[in-house]
Amino acid sequence: MDPIMMNRLFGMFKDSIGVYPKSMPGADILFKAQNVINRDGIDSDVYIDKPFIFTTQNQHYLERTLPSDVNNAFIILGTGDTLLELLSRDIKNITALENNDLQILFFRLRLAAFKTLSAIDYERFLLDSNSHKFLSYDVFKSVKPALNDEADINAWDILLTKNPKEDLMHHLFKAIDYDLKVNKSLITYLSSKKGYYAIREKIEKASINIVFGDALEYLEDHSEIKYDYIDITNILLFIFQILCNSDSNQFALVIDRLKKIFEINLNHNGVMVFDYWFCHTLDNLSGEFGIKNSAGLTSSDIYGMIYRSLNSAFDLEIFNIKAREEDTVFLTRKRGF
């Protein structure tokens, strides 16, 4: 974070919840989180930094994408639900990339909660926004000893004590108005208390590598690491619009990078999952979905361009899965010798 922005946030921080030294471990992430809370609804640019609490994917898609034998997996972290699902399936070596450090901050809180709370208290603390224990500082005091990073402890300590729960719910997080019962049905490890406590044991035995950064750059920079499963769902829409400025020619260069990653980073008999479309199928791409972006493209237009680019470069396997609506998953397999 540049010094000018830090000073601006520090001034805002001082006015809103207290004065904390910039040298304090966790100061940067704390200032960023508080800025999101303070500016949400005023500055549309902060929306992209807001973390999700729940996955928007039906995690049962993994039943159709995972190879029969996975030793080493690479995924996008997001809420962490995919990572936890992989743990529930006894996959012990997982690298998860994430370019939103607030999402990482929240996931570390989730891991600590897994290690310390009962299944029902975990749900009340982090999932059930109607519970009086949701984001409760009293519950956090039980979770705090399992946080390994002083920066995380400081950030959550201050965020939870200095902000009303309503501000945390509606201004720090995205998509808070979810149906808990529906969301839990999309996540297999939450379907039973047995599954929850099994995850707790598996966390301790797993090798989990959480990395803040760009997923494709990481794979390119670590060509010596081979994976049985690579899942980059939900980043291509962002890449197309933000990094490629909705330019199909620029996106063609991304496809070239994906082809090299497929050849170099994926083991034979491995699977690479490219995308998970929300509420879209190939059959309904002709419809109008949402508003147009700055390039005059709807989400249907963009998904269509992404599909055609992937289809021209890979032997795609495509299937639909029911979540809140009909979703679509795209993957390819690397055949063995």
Side-chain angles (χ1 to χ4, degrees):
M1 186 177 294
D2 67 82
I4 294 176
M5 181 59 72
M6 179 67 81
N7 285 330
R8 287 177 182 170
L9 294 184
F10 184 78
M12 183 184 297
F13 220 59
K14 178 180 178 181
D15 291 340
S16 59
I17 65 171
V19 180
Y20 304 97
K22 298 175 186 179
S23 60
M24 178 186 73
D28 285 3
I29 194 67
L30 176 60
F31 290 176
K32 180 177 179 178
Q34 192 62 47
N35 183 56
V36 168
I37 294 169
N38 292 346
R39 301 294 299 170
D40 184 46
I42 301 171
D43 180 358
S44 59
D45 289 342
V46 303
Y47 180 80
I48 197 171
D49 292 325
K50 296 175 69 172
F52 284 97
I53 285 181
F54 254 117
T55 180
T56 51
Q57 298 174 331
N58 183 342
Q59 293 291 300
H60 292 276
Y61 84 95
L62 293 168
E63 295 162 8
R64 296 183 63 176
T65 61
L66 284 172
S68 58
D69 185 18
V70 179
N71 179 59
N72 202 14
F74 179 96
I75 61 172
I76 304 301
L77 178 65
T79 61
D81 286 305
T82 300
L83 187 153
L84 295 169
E85 289 284 355
L86 295 185
L87 287 179
S88 74
R89 290 165 166 79
D90 296 317
I91 298 171
K92 299 177 181 178
N93 300 299
I94 304 170
T95 297
L97 267 286
E98 178 58 54
N99 64 4
N100 183 355
D101 45 2
L102 292 183
Q103 195 72 69
I104 294 175
L105 179 71
F106 180 65
F107 178 69
R108 288 176 177 158
L109 182 66
R110 292 189 72 180
L111 279 185
F114 255 106
K115 296 175 183 178
T116 53
L117 299 180
S118 66
I120 187 63
D121 278 342
Y122 174 86
E123 179 175 311
R124 290 168 176 168
F125 178 52
L126 292 180
L127 305 182
D128 185 359
S129 59
N130 293 316
S131 170
H132 71 282
K133 291 186 176 182
F134 185 69
L135 299 177
S136 161
Y137 185 74
D138 287 337
V139 177
F140 173 70
K141 287 187 289 188
S142 300
V143 174
K144 190 191 302 188
L147 283 169
N148 298 320
D149 193 314
E150 186 181 358
D152 292 346
I153 294 171
N154 290 339
W156 285 115
D157 221 330
I158 296 169
L159 286 170
L160 295 180
T161 55
K162 300 298 184 180
N163 289 282
K165 183 172 76 171
E166 291 74 17
D167 284 355
L168 292 168
M169 286 173 56
H170 297 292
H171 298 296
L172 179 58
F173 295 101
K174 291 174 183 168
I176 194 68
D177 298 322
Y178 48 74
D179 185 317
L180 180 61
K181 183 177 181 180
V182 171
N183 279 24
K184 286 179 64 177
S185 71
L186 305 179
I187 303 173
T188 60
Y189 72 84
L190 290 177
S191 61
S192 68
K193 290 182 180 179
K194 181 180 179 181
Y196 174 86
Y197 290 112
I199 290 280
R200 176 184 290 182
E201 295 180 7
K202 291 173 181 179
I203 287 172
E204 299 299 333
K205 299 176 182 178
S207 173
I208 301 172
N209 182 26
I210 308 298
V211 181
F212 175 60
D214 180 276
L216 302 191
E217 288 183 2
Y218 181 90
L219 288 165
E220 290 165 335
D221 292 342
H222 296 79
S223 58
E224 75 284 0
I225 304 177
K226 310 295 183 183
Y227 299 95
D228 303 303
Y229 185 71
I230 297 176
D231 188 334
I232 59 167
T233 50
N234 301 343
I235 70 170
L236 293 184
L237 191 67
F238 171 84
I239 289 174
F240 184 90
Q241 293 189 92
I242 306 301
L243 301 185
C244 296
N245 298 308
S246 299
D247 185 326
S248 58
N249 292 323
Q250 290 188 43
F251 191 68
L253 301 178
V254 175
I255 294 295
D256 288 340
R257 295 171 67 191
L258 291 176
K259 288 164 66 176
K260 291 178 181 177
I261 288 169
F262 173 82
E263 292 299 330
I264 295 172
N265 298 89
L266 188 67
N267 281 327
H268 286 285
N269 297 312
V271 168
M272 188 168 181
V273 185
F274 295 111
D275 218 346
Y276 183 114
W277 288 2
F278 306 107
C279 307
H280 284 72
T281 67
L282 290 176
D283 293 334
N284 67 19
L285 284 183
S286 59
E288 289 289 325
F289 289 86
I291 61 175
K292 294 183 179 181
N293 67 7
S294 59
L297 300 174
T298 66
S299 58
S300 294
D301 296 329
I302 297 169
Y303 277 139
M305 292 180 183
I306 290 173
Y307 162 69
R308 289 188 290 273
S309 297
L310 289 171
N311 194 46
S312 67
F314 296 97
D315 180 14
L316 288 182
E317 186 175 314
I318 305 168
F319 65 88
N320 299 117
I321 187 167
K322 182 73 173 179
R324 296 156 190 83
E325 301 292 340
E326 195 80 3
D327 299 340
T328 308
V329 180
F330 296 81
L331 63 104
T332 193
R333 300 179 188 275
K334 192 171 188 179
R335 308 300 178 185
F337 293 112

